[in-house]
Amino acid sequence: MPSAPETSSAKLPFVVWALAAGTFLMGTTEFVIAGLLPEMAHDLGVSVPHVGLLITAFAIGMIIGGPTMAMATLRLPQRQTLILALVVFSLGHVVAAASTSFTVVLIARVVTALATGAFWAVGFVVATTAAGPSNSTRAVGVMMGGLTLANVIGVPIGSFAGQITGWRGPFWALAVLSALAAASVGRFIPRVVQSTEVSLRAEVGALRQGRLWLALTAAMLIMGGVLATYSYITPLLTDRADVPDGAVPLVLVAFGVGALGGITVGGRLGDRRPMTTALTAAVATTLVLFLLIPLSANPFTAAGLVFLMALTGFTVNPVITSLAVRFAGDAPTLTSALTTSAYNTGIAAGAAIAGRALDSSLGLTGPPLVGAVITALTILPLLALAAGGTATSGGSSTGASAPPRTREEPAQAPSQH
């Protein structure tokens, strides 16, 4: 019988917060290089654009490696997979920090991206199962909050530390912290008896659902729209809104705070009214991005709209991720990995399209226009999901192929897969 954690106001299991700490470290390593480009280029003897390939390599590793590693580790216990991912993540940073070869650092980045993909795929399943169906979206929101905090806190601290210690300092710190995270996860995810038979066929079979692909499409579009604008927000702020260079980081922090707020709101409201929450947020994000085009000439309105863009856009994420995992029923691991890949695909594609728009006659307003159009398209798959009656107010999906594992015992630690 469901116990106290079945209510949406109950405290989340500690393991959810431990997993959020892991996502914080992985989010930091994904983006901290952006603040270390000149130092790394000088030290490794390559150009700054060449060092930028380290960011691209990590993104590609996440897109391809997430589903691949999820399937490769499918028959391993969840606890063992998470610990192994963090250990590989730590060792990858040790290799990168100790190397003087750009090629070795690049390979290490790909390996750490593969580990990150495996951690996210299994971590989402563990978090939602441990929290129970009524708190699953909250659990996803907390895990995503770790990623958002990485941009608000981890990346600035890492960049600042890199200016003092050199770029290797943050890499050594991430190696040590991820090793500690592995020990923490190993402690708070106990060994439990497997409750369901692992089946690769079931994992692949879960992908046959049309509503799952609608959710993945929505995930790709919402992040594509928001990040298309955010990727080129600095020239918009400095050249159009006349924001001083020294104040740009403050606006970027506001974006991070808005993203954290959006994930929190989505996590809180998504369990009760998932489609209403997602649709309202997607419409609001579209409106904000369209308003950014004419109102970005003023520094105060531009900064306010950047905050609102993050607040509304990131509200959709925990709802969509939680729905995708629910749709997969008793085979959620591959689905969880594909959700992460969908976000990264949207980010890569949105940024690429926005870059072309920036170089076109649209100029500085090109990226927000691209973002607004992409975000508006998000409404279509969300409407299709809402019309199909995807979820009840209690958080369970209607017509699911199978109930999530250990659904009857949400207060306990997640079972091994």
Side-chain angles (χ1 to χ4, degrees):
M1 295 294 292
S3 55
E6 190 70 15
T7 63
S8 60
S9 60
K11 291 183 178 179
L12 292 173
F14 183 80
V15 65
V16 176
W17 300 97
L19 292 170
T23 62
F24 171 82
L25 296 175
M26 293 175 174
T28 299
T29 200
E30 182 173 6
F31 300 110
V32 73
I33 285 181
L36 303 173
L37 290 177
E39 292 80 6
M40 295 187 72
H42 176 74
D43 188 51
L44 296 173
V46 296
S47 66
V48 169
H50 212 59
V51 176
L53 292 175
L54 297 176
I55 301 175
T56 304
F58 196 95
I60 293 175
M62 285 285 290
I63 293 170
I64 300 175
T68 302
M69 295 305 297
M71 292 297 92
T73 61
L74 183 61
R75 294 188 180 276
L76 290 177
Q78 291 174 329
R79 176 177 177 274
Q80 185 175 339
T81 300
L82 292 172
I83 295 173
L84 181 62
L86 285 167
V87 169
V88 172
F89 183 85
S90 177
L91 292 176
H93 282 80
V94 170
V95 171
S99 176
T100 58
S101 168
F102 175 79
T103 301
V104 172
V105 175
L106 181 66
I107 294 173
R109 286 286 289 177
V110 173
V111 172
T112 55
L114 295 177
T116 300
F119 184 90
W120 273 74
V122 177
F124 276 130
V125 177
V126 170
T128 54
T129 305
S134 293
N135 287 309
S136 61
T137 308
R138 277 184 62 201
V140 170
V142 169
M143 277 197 66
M144 287 188 163
L147 180 62
T148 306
L149 280 177
N151 286 283
V152 179
I153 300 175
V155 171
I157 291 178
S159 299
F160 179 73
Q163 305 300 322
I164 300 174
T165 66
W167 68 269
R168 299 177 193 275
F171 273 66
W172 284 115
L174 286 165
V176 172
L177 291 174
S178 53
L180 294 175
S184 177
V185 168
R187 177 181 178 183
F188 291 104
I189 301 182
R191 297 179 179 87
V192 291
V193 179
Q194 184 169 315
S195 64
T196 55
E197 182 181 354
V198 176
S199 172
L200 179 59
R201 178 175 296 181
E203 293 283 347
V204 176
L207 304 183
R208 298 173 183 171
Q209 301 181 71
R211 60 182 179 170
L212 173 59
W213 290 102
L214 288 173
L216 293 176
T217 300
M220 179 182 65
L221 291 172
I222 191 65
M223 275 298 91
V226 172
L227 269 297
T229 305
Y230 181 71
S231 297
Y232 299 96
I233 201 64
T234 297
L236 182 73
L237 292 173
T238 56
D239 298 341
R240 179 171 168 80
D242 292 327
V243 174
D245 291 342
V248 170
L250 297 177
V251 180
L252 301 184
V253 169
F255 176 89
V257 172
L260 182 60
I263 288 173
T264 302
V265 170
R268 289 284 181 177
L269 300 181
D271 283 315
R272 296 191 296 269
R273 299 180 180 274
M275 297 317 305
T276 299
T277 301
L279 274 168
T280 301
V283 171
T285 306
T286 303
L287 178 61
V288 168
L289 289 173
F290 272 121
L291 288 176
L292 190 59
I293 298 171
L295 299 182
S296 57
N298 181 283
F300 298 103
T301 56
L305 289 171
V306 168
F307 169 80
L308 290 176
M309 171 181 72
L311 179 66
T312 56
F314 278 79
T315 297
V316 181
N317 293 4
V319 180
I320 291 300
T321 302
S322 179
L323 284 177
V325 172
R326 293 176 192 173
F327 293 159
D330 211 31
T333 306
L334 180 57
T335 295
S336 178
L338 287 174
T339 304
T340 303
S341 295
Y343 286 129
N344 281 276
T345 300
I347 291 171
I353 298 172
R356 289 183 173 273
L358 182 65
D359 289 335
S360 73
S361 59
L362 295 172
L364 295 171
T365 59
L369 177 60
V370 168
V373 172
I374 295 176
T375 305
L377 293 175
T378 308
I379 299 171
L380 299 179
L382 291 177
L383 286 174
L385 283 171
T390 59
T392 65
S393 60
S396 61
S397 55
T398 59
S401 59
R405 65 190 67 190
T406 63
R407 194 182 189 93
E408 69 282 4
E409 297 176 346
Q412 300 178 1
S415 61
Q416 296 175 335
H417 66 153

